[in-house]
Amino acid sequence: MLPKAESSDHISAWASSSPRATGLPKAVSSEFIAGGRVGHSKPTALSKPEPEELSIFSRSLGLPSPSDSCDALLGCSGRVPVDGSFCITVVTWNVGTAMPPNDVTSLLHLNTGETNDVDMIAIGLQEVNSKINKRLKDALFTDQWSELFMDALSPFHFVLVSTVRMQGVILLVFAKYYHLPFLQDIQTDCTRTGLGGYWGNKGGVSIRLSIFGHMVCFLNCHLPAHLEKAEQRKEDFATILHMQQFEGHAASGILDHDLVFWFGDLNFRIESLDIRFVKYAIDSNILSQLWEKDQLNIAKSTWSVLSGFQEGPLNFPPTFKFDVGTNKYDSSAKKRKPAWTDRILWKIKSPSVGLGAGGRRPSRGVLSVSQLCYCSHMEYTISDHKPVAAIFAVQFASKADKPPVEIYVADEWSRPEQAVVRYKMAAGFHRSSWDWIGLYRVGFRHPKDYVSYVWARTDDGERCLEKQMCAQVMFSEEALPKEKGEYILGYYSNTSSSIAGVTEPFQDEPHQPPRLQYLPEGGEQPPGAGQP
């Protein structure tokens, strides 16, 4: 099964649903292409010159200069990926207990061609409906938000890697299927900070994993609201960093990871300035006038807990608070001041820190990160928050390039006797008698979304692992799909709760309806079959 959350609120079951419609308009947002990127690629456009004092102000905050950003209001379509980089999209959205929209095409940048360049997508949600009757339904079926994102992303070859939920806070991580064997040591954790740590309406959930041998952590937080609660936000963030711990010595704490993405409804507000001036600055597109009064920007230079965290410039309007169903800021009696509550930051572990937990040095050399895009999406109006997305190009100093399990299969299964699978496990691979090989239709949604499977034989596997030889299993004619199409094979490791090897797509001719085979003693199905 996929890694279990350290919480009873973990999503435990999945149900299928039909694909959603596509075609929402492109995001109205600003694009940021970072200067000093690794590699030889250049930005396709430069922004208009900014006032000198604005550049000085940005440098004083540790932000990239505004001259490094593109002044395009059509999202990130002009971005230039870094050659050889691993591209990660991060999305955060406080959905305000609303029902999911029919379409998240523009939010995930699926209608721009950019998704072909993106390797991984992390989605953090806050305030998902968590009333008792809704949570009971979600315990029996997959929650509608997770279904929405799986449906939207699977046609683009993204597979759900892991997910964790704490009441209304959800985190999902997707990756292209061919990266799955290189995503290992997947763990989740959560920390409640609401009502003194007893309630999960506030707090943080995390998914950590090794990507090509580098330890990366995604942390989605929902921190306390209101202008005067800045110190409480600081204390809660420090509590989350302290409480979250992972097994093993690779990176036991969040800040032990080589790269951390911290995002969510962080709830920081704009101090001092009158609401009329804030709205004037927004309407006049002089957002820089608001930056120095943003609580998070202030905290970056005063809070030690934020040391090393970086963020792109806020070249998009404040994302809170809107009248639901509109792009109009709060017109209620409360008239809350607009603020950038929804943020995405990152931190690279410095090599100068020296040895980490367990005497560990930063894994496989130094990595670098370039932020290609940081934008809000005004077209979504179901919540009083606007979603925010960022795209990063991560350059790994080195990459683990050999999967734990290599699988060999014919290019086409036109006859039942061709359905032979040979596989070879790397030295040191921890196999289990519950490992299995799944046959997946191209476009599958999660590791348990298989058409059929065979068990990886214990006797063959043990012997072949010792001699570094190929083991072999075979799908019976009855276990093969009857629909012609493109399929891949994946070796599922029960020990690591992840896919440890995949094949390239191959053709399969029509066969009889699937039937399970190679059951171990007792005849059980794989643990959690049908559920990630």
Side-chain angles (χ1 to χ4, degrees):
M1 298 177 67
L2 285 181
K4 188 177 187 303
E6 301 297 324
S7 164
S8 58
D9 296 319
H10 177 63
I11 300 172
S12 60
W14 302 85
S16 60
S17 61
S18 58
R20 268 71 172 182
T22 58
L24 275 183
K26 184 70 180 95
V28 180
S29 53
S30 296
E31 178 185 13
F32 167 53
I33 298 182
R37 65 178 69 242
V38 178
H40 303 291
S41 57
K42 301 288 184 183
T44 56
L46 293 176
S47 63
K48 295 178 292 186
E50 299 285 345
E52 182 180 356
E53 62 271 20
L54 190 55
S55 297
I56 295 172
F57 168 70
S58 296
R59 288 195 296 271
S60 71
L61 285 180
L63 295 173
S65 168
S67 63
D68 292 331
S69 65
C70 282
D71 193 24
L73 295 180
L74 293 176
C76 307
S77 56
R79 70 184 186 86
V80 180
V82 179
D83 293 340
S85 62
F86 188 86
C87 284
I88 300 175
T89 295
V90 178
V91 174
T92 179
W93 192 5
N94 182 320
V95 300
T97 72
M99 292 288 290
N102 289 328
D103 186 337
V104 285
T105 300
S106 59
L107 175 60
L108 300 174
H109 299 261
L110 300 178
N111 55 355
T112 63
E114 295 166 359
T115 309
N116 294 328
D117 299 324
V118 173
D119 300 284
M120 178 173 283
I121 298 178
I123 302 167
L125 305 176
Q126 307 87 38
E127 289 196 29
V128 174
N129 191 336
S130 58
K131 292 181 179 179
I132 295 298
N133 61 336
K134 190 68 174 67
R135 292 295 291 123
L136 289 174
K137 184 178 178 181
D138 289 347
L140 298 174
F141 305 99
T142 314
D143 73 273
Q144 292 170 302
W145 283 96
S146 298
E147 284 287 343
L148 169 68
F149 288 115
M150 285 193 290
D151 284 345
L153 288 169
S154 59
F156 294 87
H157 307 302
F158 283 98
V159 178
L160 181 65
V161 175
S162 185
T163 179
V164 59
R165 177 172 186 171
M166 180 183 69
Q167 289 182 212
V169 184
I170 295 180
L171 176 59
L172 306 106
V173 172
F174 294 84
K176 291 285 181 65
Y177 77 87
Y178 44 80
H179 292 312
L180 295 179
F182 303 99
L183 310 179
Q184 299 295 316
D185 200 3
I186 304 167
Q187 297 182 43
T188 64
D189 203 354
C190 65
T191 303
R192 296 174 173 84
T193 59
L195 295 180
Y198 289 99
W199 194 240
N201 64 320
K202 296 292 192 295
V205 296
S206 63
I207 296 174
R208 85 83 173 271
L209 69 167
S210 168
I211 306 176
F212 295 108
H214 298 260
M215 302 307 298
V216 179
C217 183
F218 297 95
L219 175 61
N220 172 28
C221 290
H222 191 186
L223 299 182
H226 305 305
L227 177 69
E228 67 277 8
K229 294 291 183 68
E231 282 299 316
Q232 185 63 51
R233 288 188 276 276
K234 171 186 175 182
E235 292 177 13
D236 282 9
F237 182 50
T239 297
I240 292 167
L241 292 180
H242 174 72
M243 294 292 293
Q244 300 217 355
Q245 296 292 316
F246 304 98
E247 295 179 1
H249 297 296
S252 58
I254 289 176
L255 297 184
D256 294 327
H257 290 75
D258 299 314
L259 175 60
V260 176
F261 291 102
W262 174 42
F263 50 98
D265 180 1
L266 306 184
N267 256 321
F268 289 98
R269 307 303 172 98
I270 295 174
E271 292 187 345
S272 306
L273 300 177
D274 179 82
I275 185 173
R276 289 170 296 180
F277 179 80
V278 172
K279 288 187 174 181
Y280 166 77
I282 295 169
D283 293 339
S284 304
N285 196 28
I286 50 173
L287 300 177
S288 59
Q289 298 288 321
L290 310 178
W291 290 353
E292 63 182 352
K293 298 299 183 181
D294 172 75
Q295 288 180 329
L296 182 53
N297 278 339
I298 296 171
K300 287 172 190 173
S301 59
T302 58
W303 293 1
S304 59
V305 72
L306 295 181
S307 175
F309 277 97
Q310 303 178 63
E311 183 182 21
L314 300 169
N315 286 336
F316 51 87
T319 54
F320 175 82
K321 174 182 178 47
F322 290 86
D323 291 340
V324 174
T326 75
N327 285 327
K328 182 180 179 181
Y329 285 104
D330 186 17
S331 63
S332 70
K334 292 184 178 180
K335 285 189 167 50
R336 295 194 189 279
K337 192 193 309 182
W340 285 289
T341 56
D342 310 279
R343 311 287 278 269
I344 301 172
L345 296 87
W346 74 96
K347 180 176 182 177
I348 301 171
K349 185 178 179 181
S350 173
S352 62
V353 172
L355 298 180
R360 171 184 167 274
R361 295 186 182 277
S363 61
R364 296 183 176 272
V366 180
L367 54 78
S368 62
V369 176
S370 297
Q371 189 182 56
L372 308 178
C373 164
Y374 194 23
C375 59
S376 64
H377 286 261
M378 297 290 288
E379 70 271 31
Y380 293 96
T381 61
I382 63 172
S383 168
D384 55 358
H385 290 251
K386 300 300 181 184
V388 173
I391 302 177
F392 300 89
V394 181
Q395 282 277 5
F396 295 118
S398 60
K399 287 185 179 180
D401 56 3
K402 188 173 181 181
V405 178
E406 296 177 84
I407 308 174
Y408 308 95
V409 66
D411 292 336
E412 183 176 279
W413 286 1
S414 57
R415 301 185 306 277
E417 57 269 24
Q418 289 180 312
V420 175
V421 183
R422 295 181 177 86
Y423 58 95
K424 182 178 180 180
M425 295 168 283
F429 176 72
H430 299 291
R431 62 171 311 283
S432 163
S433 58
W434 292 103
D435 291 356
W436 45 273
I437 297 172
L439 178 65
Y440 299 92
R441 187 173 284 106
V442 170
F444 68 105
R445 299 163 13 127
H446 54 77
K448 302 296 173 62
D449 189 20
Y450 52 77
V451 175
S452 62
Y453 69 89
V454 294
W455 292 97
R457 291 178 170 177
T458 305
D459 51 353
D460 283 359
E462 203 66 49
R463 187 165 55 251
C464 294
L465 181 58
E466 291 176 3
K467 297 183 178 181
Q468 286 295 287
M469 296 168 56
C470 283
Q472 176 177 306
V473 293
M474 184 174 182
F475 283 82
S476 70
E477 183 174 358
E478 293 81 4
L480 298 174
K482 63 179 181 179
E483 293 182 6
K484 181 178 180 179
E486 277 198 316
Y487 295 84
I488 71 167
L489 290 167
Y491 184 106
Y492 186 85
S493 166
N494 187 66
T495 303
S496 64
S497 300
S498 62
I499 291 180
V502 295
T503 65
E504 292 291 327
F506 62 93
Q507 293 289 330
D508 188 22
E509 297 292 335
H511 294 282
Q512 298 298 315
R515 186 177 72 191
L516 305 179
Q517 66 172 106
Y518 292 137
L519 296 180
E521 272 189 47
E524 295 101 337
Q525 293 185 10
Q531 305 175 9

